[in-house]
Amino acid sequence: MKIQIENLDKIYKNGKHALSDINLEIGSGMFGLLGPNGAGKSSLMRILVTLMKPSSGTANINGFDLMNDRGDIRKILGYLPQDFRFFTKLKTWEFLDYAAGLSGITNKTLRSQKVDEWLDNVGLFDVRERSANKLSGGMKRRLGIAQALIGDPKIIIVDEPTTGLDPEERIRFRNILSELSQKDVIIILSTHIVGDISSMCNNLALLDKGKLEFTGAPEELIKKTKGHVWQVTTSGIEYEMLKDKYAIISTIPSEEGWEVQLVGDKLDVKNAIEIEPNLEHAYVYFMEYLTSQNSF
Ligand code: ADP
């Protein structure tokens, strides 16, 4: 499985330059697309799932061309948009049965098996007779996950995966995706939450203001941050000074004042100790200090 994106650009009708010269190769496994709100993640997702055309550039999705083979691409895709909503009187199982039909499962017995299997996978079996639009927010999100995955897609694209899920549901969702990623599929997760990426993705891309700022393994990004993360115990006055000079990651009250973790380019604070960076530190360091500062 491979997705090859070349020189992709998107300029909206209002002149907004949402994606600028994106070049990216994505192989099998779980891939994280990380960036703040407005970075261009949804625009890129919508282009890849053929809901929107790029202004220029190309993408090849497992041998299919983004512009010429849209039908073929749709057959191997499962997509869970950020604002998955449905207006239906169908019962939960009927909705899933309908989605399975759309994904090309025509055999009724097989479809019924698949529906039961996925109702169980996402924990909705007990509410299968309930009208889909009467489900709670988290349950609707889970139904969204099931409808995206029921057709055994080769490429799975999930926009802001954990929005609206409680902690237990997040774990369940992560487990479903982890299991799927053992197969020869590509899973792209787009998120602004670092925690969604760190535990699951073997590769990631960082997007900011429509530009690709980094692509590679999370460990590579973390390595670049080594020597730029510190911990310091400080009083209130000093804290204000630190806030101006550094990106503060966390502040925990301690007996002597505050225990602060900070990220910066150069250290200019006494008694600070260097600490091992994690992906959250790396993300903040990149966004604050390394991304190209020019906006569109
Ligand atoms: P993200 O998913 O990372 O939050 P988006 O792709 O939604 O980013 O948006 C990227 C930029 O494009 C933002 O500045 C957003 O306001 C703008 N944008 C998104 N959709 C449209 C649209 N349909 N028309 C004009 N501008 C848009």
Side-chain angles (χ1 to χ4, degrees), residues 23-138:
N23 289 282
L24 193 57
E25 194 180 305
I26 302 173
S28 296
M30 193 111 61
F31 187 89
L33 189 60
L34 188 60
N37 282 327
K41 303 181 298 294
S42 293
S43 301
L44 182 57
M45 308 278 91
R46 288 204 298 268
I47 290 172
L48 291 180
V49 302
T50 74
L51 286 179
M52 182 168 85
K53 289 185 177 161
S55 304
S56 61
T58 57
N60 187 292
I61 298 180
N62 216 33
F64 296 123
D65 178 78
L66 186 65
M67 303 304 260
N68 300 319
D69 308 319
R70 301 170 85 78
D72 293 310
I73 292 174
R74 284 179 189 177
K75 278 189 205 136
I76 57 167
L77 262 183
Y79 176 47
L80 179 59
Q82 195 172 348
D83 56 347
F84 174 70
R85 270 176 271 179
F86 44 84
F87 303 96
T88 173
K89 288 212 168 72
L90 292 180
K91 291 176 180 172
T92 300
W93 76 265
E94 287 171 333
F95 179 79
L96 215 44
D97 189 64
Y98 175 70
L102 285 184
S103 78
I105 310 173
T106 45
N107 181 300
K108 227 176 152 190
T109 318
L110 179 66
R111 211 163 64 223
S112 164
Q113 269 171 17
K114 280 265 177 199
V115 167
D116 283 357
E117 187 188 318
W118 274 101
L119 283 169
D120 191 42
N121 281 348
V122 297
L124 291 177
F125 196 80
D126 291 345
V127 292
R128 64 191 179 281
E129 294 294 336
R130 196 183 295 176
S131 168
N133 57 14
K134 294 228 169 82
L135 296 175
S136 72

Side-chain angles (χ1 to χ4, degrees), residues 19 33 36 45 48 59 61 63 79 99 124 134 136 154 163 166 171 182 185-186 194 234 247 251 255 276 279 290 293:
L19 292 171
L33 189 60
M45 308 278 91
L48 291 180
I61 298 180
Y79 176 47
L124 291 177
K134 294 228 169 82
S136 72
K154 293 283 177 206
T163 311
D166 63 32
I171 293 167
Q182 312 299 320
V185 296
I186 293 178
V194 178
T234 177
T251 309
E255 278 177 17
E276 280 300 311
L279 191 60
L290 294 186
Q293 295 299 318

